[in-house]
Amino acid sequence: MKTQGWLFDLYPAKRGMVLWWITEAGERLRLEDPFTPAFYAEGRPRDLRPLIRELEAKPSIAGLEWVKRWDLVSREQVEVLQIALADLNQYPVLPDRLFLEHPRVLFWNCGIHLAQLYCYERQLFPLAFCTIEHEDGILQRVECRDDPWALEYALPPLRIMELKGTGPAGRFSRRLSTLQVTVEGETYELCQGREVELLHAFTGLLERHDPDVLMTKDGDAFVLPTLLWLAKRQGVALPLDREPVLRTPPRAGRSFFTYGRVVYMTPPFLLHGRWHIDLHNSFIYHDGELPGLLEIARVAKVPVQRQARLSTGVAITSMQMDEATRMGALIPWKKAEVEEAKTLNELLTVDKGGMVYLPPMGLHEHVAEIDFASMYPALMVAYNISPETVNCACCPRGAVPEAGYSLCERREGLVPRVLRPLLDKRLRYKALKKANEGETRRRYDLLQAALRWCLLVSFGYLGYKNARWGQIMAHESVTSLGREMLLRARTIAEAYGFRAIHAIVDSIYLQKPGLSVAELEALCREIEEATKIPIAVEGIYRWIVFCPSRETPALTVPNRFYGVFQHGEQKVRGLELRRHDTAPRIATAQQEMLDCLARAESAAEFMARVPEALEILRRHVEAIRGGRVPLEDLVITRTLSKEPMQYVREDAGAIAAKTLARAGVELHPGQQIDYLILDRKAKVKGDRARPAVLLTGDESYDTKTYEELLVRAAETLLGPVGWPAGRLQSWLATP
Ligand SMILES: [Zn+2]
């Protein structure tokens, strides 16, 4: 049988990979492809001999063979023992055991996700369009007719089913009260009359529509495990997967510390032959939505469900392993591979390590922003920065300012080889975004944003000792060259008569009365010449306001500002309205004030609009004082930094967490809770704040506290132009 279609899903079985295809005709096709993954052992003959004897006796070994592979660091070909496995289940566990028993042997290419390893070897990738030949459920031949670097590609039409569950204690429930199912434009409300009826109704819908994707919010922690428990209780089969699999009860999640904060990761509820995407447990989805996620899965060769739950660091590592495989190079084994979650903003603040000026506080005009496009990755490519190129033996020292390291000029390193096409693709998407409008423009924006995120982590991973190719000298070389390039850019800008008022990571803010786009373009070309890094005009601001630090109000902070570009687009960093722990009503009020100010075309108009913005504040303050704001608009979200009972200082969030814990909800550091402040001064602690899931709707909120929060948000906007909190309060006190 010969047909054409997209590779939809893939996962290992005992003897090979299971591949799910969506054919052009719309068929969902399950095929198996025999596969023998291999890892490598390197060592002295007398250390390897006992290993070989042991392996020869194992039926799970498909073959042992001496092969030559490149060692990237020493740049030499080495002879290694290739250990091919007949039983795929052994691949994740056998190296661990061998490592303990043979401490003098060096193992390579271990601990790689099998679906990815398969993709590297076969040069396939998720959602690749292929011509396939198959017989009796076995893949005979595959010809990939797709390219992960193609800008335009067709995707299979996916059948998406959205699930929304509610429970008696919200997402902390172990029971479902209702289940809302949306599929092919229809929404079904399944109510918990009798559990068994809800289950039958749901499985009926699953079988009738056979969706490719289950889209949930909190499906990993709540909706899917709860359905599974229900099915077990009722003895009903639940065909969540496209093929029968034995499911064990979901594991507990884990909390871990990363980049200065605690993160809780719910164990993923992954499906076979079908995707489950949990919007509350996906790091890429927020920034790139589905097009961005699929784009990363394609270029990184990481299965979609897996990539949905992991940071783009996994994507970058995967691209490096793929490139190493193509080069015939060995892949180092890192047992503590990092798979943590990080948002774009955290990365921006954590990984800056570059030069930062504190901007002048207040309102400014005649300001333009020019941005180095993905400065750090661009540096790695332009200057060939990679673990194996820093301080190579063949090139002169001194290429890196300050540190004085050499950077190889003779051979391109692994990191630049991986980043070059990625940078190029992102720039092309950015150009397409600029050239288009509406939905098309939005799609290109999502794609470039997803790639930007991959590029961003590439720098963090270079300095991470647990990354497969992390090395601190390479990391230092990047920050050092980054500072150098910003200095060069600044010097050139000053020669053009600009004043550099602010710089952060890869953006420079320049001020000059009467500045023009043409002049800025000329400046950018000259900077590009001098730095080898692409730089472009982000825009000219009608006005921009730099805000003070919350901790030290006399100083500004690098990433707390708001402004409006000439074409009307707002740019906002670090305001309350962008923070997850801001109550929705406070965020709305701040956004309305900002929208009012944003209509100003100049600094003078801005000041003229302040009274109108103040009236907006008054309106919201009065609604809060009058107790008229719906409770759900005042709910505050908090990420727990410790176990609930470990909180000693009992602020509202800690009280709410303890109340939940006492109600039997299992909470861990890194998890989020929502709560309402009822009365900050109440005698009984439990009356001060209440978890949102336990609200009955009859509660009243703490008007004073919420008014304070509102005034603080207004102060962030207007404080820099002469309206600090004290003045706002006295203005509010006079009718
Ligand atoms: Zn060299």
Side-chain angles (χ1 to χ4, degrees):
M1 286 276 282
K2 194 167 173 176
T3 183
Q4 301 205 102
W6 292 268
L7 177 56
F8 173 71
D9 191 24
L10 67 163
Y11 47 90
K14 192 171 172 137
R15 297 284 166 200
M17 295 300 292
V18 175
L19 311 174
W20 281 91
W21 299 84
I22 297 182
T23 66
E24 269 185 321
E27 192 190 355
R28 272 62 181 166
L29 187 63
R30 180 193 187 278
L31 298 177
E32 282 194 31
D33 186 15
F35 176 52
T36 47
F39 61 100
Y40 302 93
E42 184 189 353
R44 290 177 303 184
R46 64 179 160 136
D47 295 324
L48 285 173
R49 268 193 298 273
L51 175 73
I52 294 170
R53 266 200 303 279
E54 183 187 332
L55 290 173
E56 275 171 344
K58 278 188 195 294
S60 60
I61 302 295
L64 299 174
E65 196 184 332
W66 289 102
V67 294
K68 287 218 163 111
R69 290 286 181 272
W70 286 100
D71 179 340
L72 274 183
V73 176
S74 70
R75 296 184 172 191
E76 278 169 5
Q77 274 214 323
V78 288
E79 190 160 59
V80 288
L81 180 70
Q82 175 177 282
I83 306 162
L85 291 165
D87 178 356
L88 275 68
N89 294 332
Q90 286 298 310
Y91 177 79
V93 290
L94 183 61
D96 277 296
R97 230 179 27 239
L98 296 178
F99 171 75
L100 288 177
E101 291 159 10
H102 304 269
R104 288 175 186 281
V105 176
L106 200 55
F107 292 95
W108 298 92
N109 292 49
C110 306
I112 303 169
H113 196 264
L114 275 170
Q116 291 169 216
L117 189 60
Y118 173 85
C119 284
Y120 310 152
E121 305 247 326
R122 297 282 200 276
Q123 284 301 299
L124 289 174
F125 51 93
L127 296 158
F129 186 74
C130 305
T131 300
I132 48 177
E133 282 173 45
H134 60 98
E135 238 176 277
D136 303 324
I138 305 291
L139 182 71
Q140 307 288 342
R141 228 176 75 80
V142 57
E143 187 197 338
C144 185
R145 311 182 59 132
D146 202 346
D147 177 358
W149 299 108
L151 292 175
E152 310 287 350
Y153 45 86
L155 290 170
L158 297 174
R159 296 198 291 255
I160 297 176
M161 178 185 268
E162 286 172 47
L163 303 180
K164 224 186 257 172
T166 61
R171 60 200 171 88
F172 302 114
S173 304
R174 287 290 175 260
R175 299 188 95 87
L176 276 170
S177 311
T178 61
L179 182 66
Q180 194 188 73
V181 183
T182 306
V183 61
E184 290 175 48
E186 298 277 344
T187 298
Y188 307 85
E189 295 280 348
L190 312 183
C191 289
Q192 170 84 310
R194 282 174 54 219
E195 284 186 339
V196 68
E197 281 163 16
L198 182 147
L199 267 178
H200 282 309
F202 175 60
T203 51
L205 286 172
L206 261 185
E207 274 156 13
R208 174 144 35 103
H209 295 280
D210 186 25
D212 301 305
V213 188
L214 295 185
M215 200 74 93
T216 67
K217 286 182 180 161
D218 250 329
D220 282 340
F222 168 50
V223 184
L224 294 195
T226 310
L227 276 169
L228 195 66
W229 281 317
L230 205 66
K232 287 221 158 112
R233 240 183 355 252
Q234 296 290 343
V236 173
L238 184 65
L240 286 174
D241 301 274
R242 271 202 172 123
E243 69 173 318
V245 282
L246 194 64
R247 284 212 173 265
T248 46
R251 288 168 295 135
R254 63 194 179 101
S255 308
F256 54 93
F257 196 71
T258 171
Y259 281 74
R261 66 169 197 141
V262 183
V263 176
Y264 180 79
M265 208 152 103
T266 309
F269 199 111
L270 303 185
L271 303 178
H272 297 76
R274 180 174 280 151
W275 302 338
H276 168 220
I277 296 174
D278 180 347
L279 303 185
H280 277 180
N281 202 17
S282 176
F283 312 124
I284 292 166
Y285 206 90
H286 294 296
D287 290 282
E289 296 186 26
L290 199 53
L293 173 60
L294 302 187
E295 169 72 19
I296 294 180
R298 281 171 56 98
V299 297
K301 301 190 164 83
V302 179
V304 172
Q305 292 187 91
R306 176 173 151 80
Q307 184 62 68
R309 285 160 179 84
L310 300 173
S311 88
T312 44
V314 169
I316 279 290
T317 309
S318 182
M319 285 183 240
Q320 292 174 341
M321 294 196 286
D322 182 29
E323 185 63 32
T325 306
R326 250 194 304 253
M327 293 163 76
L330 294 164
I331 298 172
W333 185 15
K334 288 285 177 183
K335 292 190 172 179
E337 205 179 342
V338 269
E339 295 184 342
E340 80 269 43
K342 256 173 268 141
T343 66
L344 248 177
N345 241 339
E346 281 164 336
L347 280 163
L348 276 178
T349 41
V350 170
D351 281 345
K352 55 182 182 244
M355 184 184 296
V356 170
Y357 310 160
L358 289 188
M361 187 148 7
L363 175 64
H364 302 274
E365 279 183 310
H366 315 297
V367 175
E369 178 184 341
I370 57 175
D371 291 351
F372 281 112
S374 305
M375 182 196 223
Y376 288 165
L379 282 169
M380 296 181 225
V381 171
Y383 295 88
N384 196 24
I385 306 172
S386 192
E388 78 279 19
T389 59
V390 176
N391 281 346
C392 63
C394 45
C395 300
R397 298 256 163 169
V400 178
E402 297 161 51
Y405 304 143
S406 71
L407 295 171
C408 194
E409 290 155 21
R410 301 172 60 159
R411 235 174 310 178
E412 187 171 36
L414 177 73
V415 169
R417 287 171 75 114
V418 166
L419 295 179
R420 188 184 293 282
L422 207 55
L423 271 170
D424 183 58
K425 196 175 192 189
R426 178 177 176 238
L427 284 180
R428 283 161 185 262
Y429 277 143
K430 273 187 89 168
L432 282 167
K433 175 196 161 188
K434 274 202 175 145
N436 281 280
E437 275 172 37
E439 259 316 293
T440 321
R441 180 186 168 96
R442 209 179 97 77
R443 183 184 142 75
Y444 287 127
D445 190 34
L446 292 173
L447 295 174
Q448 73 82 18
L451 297 181
R452 170 168 190 253
W453 204 5
C454 292
L455 289 164
L456 219 63
V457 297
S458 67
F459 169 63
Y461 267 52
L462 197 56
Y464 193 73
K465 65 177 173 10
N466 282 337
R468 287 188 199 250
W469 282 280
Q471 193 225 44
I472 198 66
M473 284 192 297
H475 190 264
E476 275 173 47
S477 304
V478 176
T479 47
S480 179
L481 278 166
R483 282 192 293 271
E484 168 77 17
M485 297 311 146
L486 270 184
L487 270 178
R488 283 187 200 170
R490 186 187 171 181
T491 311
I492 296 168
E494 282 169 354
Y496 269 73
F498 287 97
R499 193 177 141 226
I501 57 170
H502 183 36
I504 176 168
V505 195
D506 45 15
S507 303
I508 307 172
Y509 295 78
L510 301 169
Q511 193 173 39
K512 182 181 179 183
L515 46 73
S516 71
V517 173
E519 188 183 14
L520 288 161
E521 296 285 0
L523 171 68
C524 286
R525 297 296 78 78
E526 193 164 324
I527 295 176
E528 258 173 23
E529 286 272 297
T531 58
K532 295 206 266 175
I533 312 287
I535 190 164
V537 182
E538 174 74 6
I540 299 176
Y541 288 95
R542 291 177 185 168
W543 49 262
I544 185 167
V545 176
F546 293 107
C547 307
S549 143
R550 224 188 287 247
E551 292 75 29
T552 333
L555 294 177
T556 52
V557 280
N559 47 0
R560 207 152 177 242
F561 61 83
Y562 64 101
V564 175
F565 286 114
Q566 278 177 343
H567 49 74
E569 201 177 308
Q570 299 175 8
K571 180 150 181 174
V572 168
R573 289 287 179 271
L575 298 192
E576 283 83 351
L577 63 92
R578 283 295 177 83
R579 296 177 55 101
H580 295 298
D581 58 358
T582 304
R585 183 58 170 244
I586 310 290
T588 310
Q590 196 181 40
Q591 183 67 59
E592 282 177 20
M593 292 176 72
L594 176 60
D595 290 343
C596 164
L597 297 168
R599 288 198 291 275
E601 301 265 355
S602 65
E605 280 184 35
F606 178 101
M607 292 313 292
R609 283 193 163 269
V610 169
E612 200 184 318
L614 288 170
E615 288 306 329
I616 295 172
L617 171 66
R618 189 191 293 278
R619 187 157 49 75
H620 284 283
V621 165
E622 279 168 4
I624 280 181
R625 283 180 186 165
R628 300 196 302 272
V629 179
L631 300 186
E632 66 263 28
D633 286 353
L634 296 172
V635 163
I636 295 172
T637 302
R638 153 86 71 96
T639 304
L640 298 179
S641 57
K642 40 186 129 177
E643 301 282 339
M645 293 308 169
Q646 285 171 342
Y647 280 98
V648 180
R649 201 174 71 86
E650 292 193 313
D651 59 8
I655 289 169
K658 287 185 182 185
T659 307
L660 272 176
R662 287 197 189 95
V665 173
E666 216 182 293
L667 285 175
H668 303 283
Q671 271 184 306
Q672 289 186 339
I673 59 158
D674 303 323
Y675 62 95
L676 183 76
I677 302 174
L678 300 178
D679 178 2
R680 207 173 36 177
K681 303 230 162 77
K683 279 219 175 70
V684 179
K685 279 184 193 156
D687 291 342
R688 291 181 193 165
R690 186 157 298 163
V693 291
L694 299 181
L695 290 173
T696 61
D698 298 332
E699 293 85 353
S700 53
Y701 56 85
D702 189 326
T703 53
K704 262 196 101 102
T705 301
Y706 283 102
E707 183 178 331
E708 272 172 36
L709 290 171
L710 194 50
V711 169
R712 205 184 299 164
E715 184 189 26
T716 306
L717 292 180
L718 298 179
V721 294
W723 285 87
R727 188 171 174 206
L728 289 171
Q729 274 149 358
S730 34
W731 182 80
L732 285 166
T734 51

